[in-house]
């Protein structure tokens, strides 16, 4: 089958597209999915460089999530049958024509979404909903600052924050990206490539600061964001898309009376399965009601995998980056 293969650690130029990769065979509780579309995420960028916390054995097929149609099931699979439209958080293997996934990491595809939209749901919406609901306990009327607000996870945080009744301040690196955030419902916009993030937040909040920060960017923006926290604020550590992991002076947490909260959806889904499934039910209801509409502006055929990776690496993405088969 056709697949993107990582045989040598590095950036996307080290990957290879092959046509003769062996097709997977299902174990007792596995399903085989004919991939229609797959979502590209920052962990994929880290994984092909050998920098992710969970590294597969080489060689491997990158790609942590996808949408497609079940083409085979294991002997003890009870949740799905051949022909079902599904999405999957497989961890690896999605950048191919077929992917193997345990049935408990597979979910029915929301009926209101296309394959391209559904392919990007698992990592982004699952992460943002868990972050804002369970980790931040975001309340109606609070102020939410979203960094990297036009990216895959950032755009979902803007959407969900508005649905939860927050005042959303979207921060991104260009006016073009901020225009997307405005369309998603952001109340205020900050271009942090042109103005001081800390000064802009101070002005927009009359010096009070923000109740919740959603930070998938890291690097130079994290400390100014912590300095912009309101009393009893919650700073959500989502990831480090800019590269460097910031060193935050802990006296800021003391002075602000704020919490620095880690958000690791992958572990949460294993540790608190029932809560995760309740989150899924609530998200699916929002998709079906048309209250959530995944943004896909950067869609590439599998053969253009290098362009797709570079779109994410160069921080040009608006919404989700998707590969199609």
């Amino acid at each position: 089958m056709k697949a993107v293969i990582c045989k040598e650690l590095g950036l996307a130029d080290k990957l290879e597209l092959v046509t003769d990769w062996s097709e997977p065979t299902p174990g007792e509780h596995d399903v085989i999915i004919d991939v229609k579309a797959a979502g590209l995420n920052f962990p994929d960028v880290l994984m092909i460089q050998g920098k992710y916390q969970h590294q597969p054995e080489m060689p491997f097929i990158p790609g942590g999530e996808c949408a497609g149609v079940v083409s085979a099931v294991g002997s003890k699979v009870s949740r799905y049958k051949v022909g079902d439209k599904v999405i999957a958080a497989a961890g690896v293997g999605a950048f191919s024509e077929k992917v193997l996934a345990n049935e408990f990491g597979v979910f029915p595809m929301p009926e209101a979404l296309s394959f391209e939209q559904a392919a990007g749901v698992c990592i982004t919406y699952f992460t943002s909903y868990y972050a804002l609901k369970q980790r931040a306990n975001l309340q109606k009327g609070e102020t939410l600052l979203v960094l990297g607000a036009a990216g895959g996870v950032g755009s979902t945080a803007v959407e969900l924050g508005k649905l939860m009744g927050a005042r959303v301040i979207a921060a991104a690196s260009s006016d073009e990206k901020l225009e997307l955030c405005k369309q998603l419902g952001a109340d205020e916009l900050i271009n942090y490539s042109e103005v001081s993030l800390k000064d802009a937040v101070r002005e927009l909040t009359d010096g009070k600061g923000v109740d919740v920060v959603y930070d998938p960017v890291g690097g130079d923006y994290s400390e100014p964001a912590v300095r912009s926290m309101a009393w009893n604020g919650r700073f959500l550590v989502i990831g480090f898309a800019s590269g460097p992991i910031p060193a935050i002076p802990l006296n800021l947490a003391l002075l602000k009376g704020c919490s620095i909260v880690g958000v690791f959806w992958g572990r949460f889904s294993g540790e608190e399965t029932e809560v995760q499934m309740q989150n899924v039910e609530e998200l699916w209801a929002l998709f079906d009601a048309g209250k959530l509409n995944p943004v896909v502006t950067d869609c590439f055929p599998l053969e253009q995998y290098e362009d797709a990776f570079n779109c994410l690496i160069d921080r040009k993405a608006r919404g989700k980056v998707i590969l199609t088969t």
Side-chain angles (χ1 to χ4, degrees), residues 14-264:
K14 300 294 185 182
L15 299 173
E16 295 182 35
L17 180 67
V18 301
T19 58
D20 57 353
W21 195 259
S22 298
E23 293 188 7
T25 55
E28 291 181 338
H29 289 283
D30 296 329
V31 301
I32 303 297
I33 301 167
D34 287 349
V35 178
K36 302 298 183 182
L40 179 60
N41 298 282
F42 189 64
D44 299 317
V45 176
L46 294 177
M47 198 174 290
I48 65 171
Q49 298 176 81
K51 296 180 179 180
Y52 198 55
Q53 55 259 45
H54 302 297
Q55 282 295 128
E57 293 184 8
M58 302 274 285
F60 68 92
I61 302 171
E65 62 177 344
C66 67
V69 179
V70 174
S71 59
V73 299
S75 60
K76 294 187 178 180
V77 171
S78 59
R79 295 158 58 90
Y80 301 100
K81 64 183 186 302
V82 172
D84 286 346
K85 293 181 179 180
V86 296
I87 65 173
V92 292
F95 298 161
S96 61
E97 292 180 311
K98 293 179 181 288
V99 66
L100 174 75
N102 184 280
E103 64 174 318
F104 295 102
V106 177
F107 307 90
M109 193 174 109
E111 294 181 4
L113 304 184
S114 66
F115 282 115
E116 291 80 7
Q117 288 178 306
V121 163
C122 286
I123 305 300
T124 54
Y125 283 97
F126 288 1
T127 295
S128 293
Y129 198 62
Y130 164 57
L132 296 179
K133 183 181 180 184
Q134 276 87 27
R135 301 301 282 159
N137 190 26
L138 182 66
Q139 298 297 304
K140 184 177 181 179
E142 289 190 316
T143 300
L144 167 67
L145 170 64
V146 181
L147 306 184
V153 288
S155 60
T156 61
V158 171
E159 271 192 293
L160 290 167
K162 284 301 296 180
L163 279 178
M164 293 178 178
R167 178 194 182 204
V168 178
I169 301 174
S173 60
S174 73
D175 291 338
E176 182 184 22
K177 291 180 178 180
L178 289 172
E179 181 58 35
L180 172 63
C181 299
K182 184 177 180 180
Q183 294 172 16
L184 291 172
D187 299 288
E188 308 287 353
L189 308 173
I190 298 174
N191 184 336
Y192 48 46
S193 67
E194 296 183 353
V195 301
S196 161
L197 177 64
K198 180 183 174 184
D199 291 346
V201 170
R202 183 189 298 115
E203 181 178 346
L204 291 172
T205 62
D206 295 324
K208 177 180 181 254
V210 295
D211 299 294
V212 177
V213 172
Y214 183 101
D215 182 12
V217 178
D220 294 335
Y221 298 108
S222 297
E223 184 174 328
V226 175
R227 292 183 182 276
S228 302
M229 300 296 297
W231 184 252
N232 286 330
R234 290 85 75 199
F235 180 93
L236 300 174
V237 182
I238 309 296
F240 314 103
S242 69
I245 297 175
I248 303 296
L250 288 181
N251 66 307
L252 292 177
L254 184 154
L255 295 172
K256 295 288 183 178
C258 69
S259 303
I260 298 175
V261 185
V263 179
F264 186 3

